[in-house]
Amino acid sequence: PDEDIPEQRKIVKAMFSNIDNDMLLKYSNFLKLQRVIAYCLRFYKNLKLNRYKRSLGNLTVEELEQSEIILVKGSQSIEFRDEIKALKLNKPLLRSSKLISLNPFLDKHEILRMGSRINKALVSFDQKCPIILGSNNFLTNLIIPYEHRKNLHMGPQNLLANIRTKF
């Protein structure tokens, strides 16, 4: 069985480098998709560890945050491929880009975020520079009902304001 471990690592690493719409379409619930990715990340991490040091039990907050980062990056790489490539190369965005008015930048996790003019405000980084998601993106269509249920079925204006604190 130990000979299979390098092969398993290659498979799991390839899965995370290319999250596409096919994987996103298999789930109709954001929380479930996030947890599946978190468990896959844990599996990948545990492959490298001695069996006595492996993570077991409930998912941690860090694991869930890491899975959200992977989901957002995968979603953005599908819809904003050209913009991300230009920003990584420190080139200006094309004038035809629909993101040019948002002053986008890549954060430390290489997530596309909206530039902000409220840098001195006493709010979180997510509120100052929200994550950019496409309007017709499958991940966006999972986040909206998730936030709606999480916030006890609040009205559309409150829901939109709540989602915009992060996305």
Side-chain angles (χ1 to χ4, degrees):
D2 289 338
E3 296 115 24
D4 295 336
I5 290 177
E7 297 301 319
Q8 292 170 346
R9 287 182 185 163
K10 288 178 187 177
I11 291 168
V12 174
K13 195 168 190 172
M15 184 182 104
F16 291 124
S17 64
N18 287 327
I19 290 183
D20 58 3
N21 275 336
D22 292 338
M23 184 169 180
L24 295 175
L25 290 171
K26 291 181 181 177
Y27 298 93
S28 61
N29 183 320
F30 174 73
L31 189 58
K32 189 171 191 173
L33 177 61
Q34 184 184 28
R35 294 175 65 78
V36 166
I37 297 295
Y39 277 117
C40 290
L41 282 170
R42 178 184 282 183
F43 172 75
Y44 179 66
K45 188 177 102 180
N46 283 344
L47 283 175
K48 301 176 192 177
L49 298 175
N50 175 326
R51 72 178 186 165
Y52 300 108
K53 294 182 180 180
R54 292 181 180 162
S55 297
L56 301 171
N58 294 331
L59 291 169
T60 63
V61 172
E62 292 82 19
E63 289 172 323
L64 291 170
E65 287 173 353
Q66 186 65 32
S67 68
E68 184 177 286
I69 289 168
I70 287 174
L71 284 168
V72 168
K73 283 176 69 172
S75 174
Q76 287 180 342
S77 70
I78 294 167
E79 191 159 351
F80 305 117
R81 179 170 289 140
D82 296 334
E83 289 86 350
I84 292 171
K85 187 186 288 186
L87 290 171
K88 281 183 179 178
L89 298 172
N90 289 325
K91 293 186 178 180
L93 297 181
L94 297 174
R95 290 182 189 240
S96 61
S97 171
K98 57 186 171 182
L99 299 182
I100 198 156
S101 65
L102 300 178
N103 191 24
F105 70 96
L106 293 173
D107 69 2
K108 65 182 179 182
H109 300 293
E110 294 188 351
I111 291 177
L112 197 57
R113 290 183 175 268
M114 187 173 96
S116 176
R117 294 186 297 172
I118 59 168
N119 289 331
K120 296 186 183 195
L122 298 174
V123 294
S124 70
F125 178 71
D126 282 338
Q127 287 179 308
K128 289 179 192 176
C129 304
I131 296 170
I132 298 173
L133 290 178
S135 61
N136 199 16
N137 185 295
F138 190 78
L139 186 61
T140 304
N141 292 333
L142 287 178
I143 289 172
I144 293 169
Y146 166 71
E147 288 290 333
H148 183 64
R149 283 188 305 275
K150 182 176 124 184
N151 292 293
L152 305 173
H153 305 283
M154 63 173 51
Q157 295 299 323
N158 288 337
L159 178 64
L160 187 58
N162 187 53
I163 291 173
R164 284 184 174 166
T165 60
K166 185 168 185 171
F167 300 103

